[in-house]
């Protein structure tokens, strides 16, 4: 019997390498999934509320969330105080005259306020939309009331008051 001794190399136990590529792939996949979810949420949320004001939006303290344009305007007209009552006092040459607000069409600019309310949360791209929609859901948004009036009519009334207050010069001299 012959014996033979062969040397077998010992199994090499190398330290395991850190799987950077696996971590990078997982991170990229998660990031893409979050972007797709955010885009789907923003678009779906906007479509779900299409033609209505998004939840969390109020105009001058009046909640208009979920309302159509006509319903929101009707609610605002009912809830906001009238701007046509009262007077504007004009003092010209020590003479005070009153001009009623209704005479020059002082009222809320409902078109502008509703345009602002309907544009909130509907940005140009899904990133802007998502950012705005999350902010609205967390904090809400309040649109400030806007007032409008007929400038030409007001200017005409003030000019008439100024013309009526004119007095001819008596014993005047230029030096």
């Amino acid at each position: 019997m012959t014996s033979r001794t062969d040397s077998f190399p010992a199994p090499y136990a190398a330290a395991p390498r850190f799987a950077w590529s696996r971590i990078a792939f997982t991170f990229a996949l998660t990031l893409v999934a979050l972007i797709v979810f955010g885009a789907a949420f923003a678009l779906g949320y906007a479509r779900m509320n299409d033609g209505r004001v998004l939840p969390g939006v109020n105009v001058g303290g009046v909640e208009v969330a979920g309302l159509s344009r006509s319903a929101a305007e009707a609610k605002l007209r009912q809830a906001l105080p009238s701007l046509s009552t009262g007077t504007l006092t004009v003092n010209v040459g020590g003479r005070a005259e009153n001009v009623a607000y209704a005479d020059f069409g002082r009222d809320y600019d409902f078109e502008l306020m509703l345009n602002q309310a309907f544009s909130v949360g509907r940005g140009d791209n899904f990133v802007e939309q998502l950012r705005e929609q999350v902010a609205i859901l967390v904090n809400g948004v309040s649109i400030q009331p806007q007032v409008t009036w007929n400038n030409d009519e007001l200017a005409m009334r003030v000019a008439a008051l100024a013309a009526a207050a004119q007095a001819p010069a008596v014993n005047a001299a230029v030096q």
Side-chain angles (χ1 to χ4, degrees):
M1 173 150 131
T2 339
S3 70
R4 179 172 158 182
T5 321
D6 288 330
S7 61
F8 293 106
Y12 181 74
R17 293 187 327 153
F18 198 68
W20 285 107
S21 61
R22 181 177 292 172
I23 289 175
F25 175 75
T26 305
F27 177 76
L29 186 63
T30 304
L31 186 63
V32 168
L34 286 173
I35 291 171
V36 168
F37 174 76
F41 175 80
L43 294 174
Y45 191 70
R47 292 214 194 265
M48 185 174 72
N49 292 297
D50 196 28
R52 297 182 301 170
V53 179
L54 293 178
V57 177
N58 71 66
V59 177
V62 178
E63 192 65 36
V64 292
L67 298 177
S68 67
R69 181 174 284 274
S70 59
E73 183 174 348
K75 185 171 183 178
L76 289 173
R77 284 191 187 278
Q78 178 185 1
L80 292 175
S82 175
L83 293 179
S84 62
T85 58
T87 59
L88 172 69
T89 304
V90 179
N91 291 313
V92 179
R95 183 176 168 192
E97 293 287 334
N98 291 326
V99 178
Y101 290 143
D103 290 347
F104 58 92
R106 181 175 179 236
D107 198 7
Y108 292 102
D109 192 347
F110 288 105
E111 184 177 347
L112 176 64
M113 293 186 305
L114 290 172
N115 285 344
Q116 289 175 344
F118 275 89
S119 69
V120 172
R122 293 178 169 97
D124 295 335
N125 56 51
F126 79 90
V127 175
E128 182 78 15
Q129 281 184 352
L130 183 62
R131 185 187 63 74
E132 287 180 4
Q133 290 169 0
V134 170
I136 294 168
L137 288 173
V138 172
N139 301 321
V141 171
S142 182
I143 306 295
Q144 296 301 312
Q146 302 294 318
V147 179
T148 185
W149 59 83
N150 184 336
N151 281 332
D152 295 335
E153 183 67 27
L154 179 59
M156 185 180 74
R157 291 194 179 263
V158 170
L161 292 174
Q166 288 182 355
V170 178
N171 295 329
V174 177
Q175 293 184 9

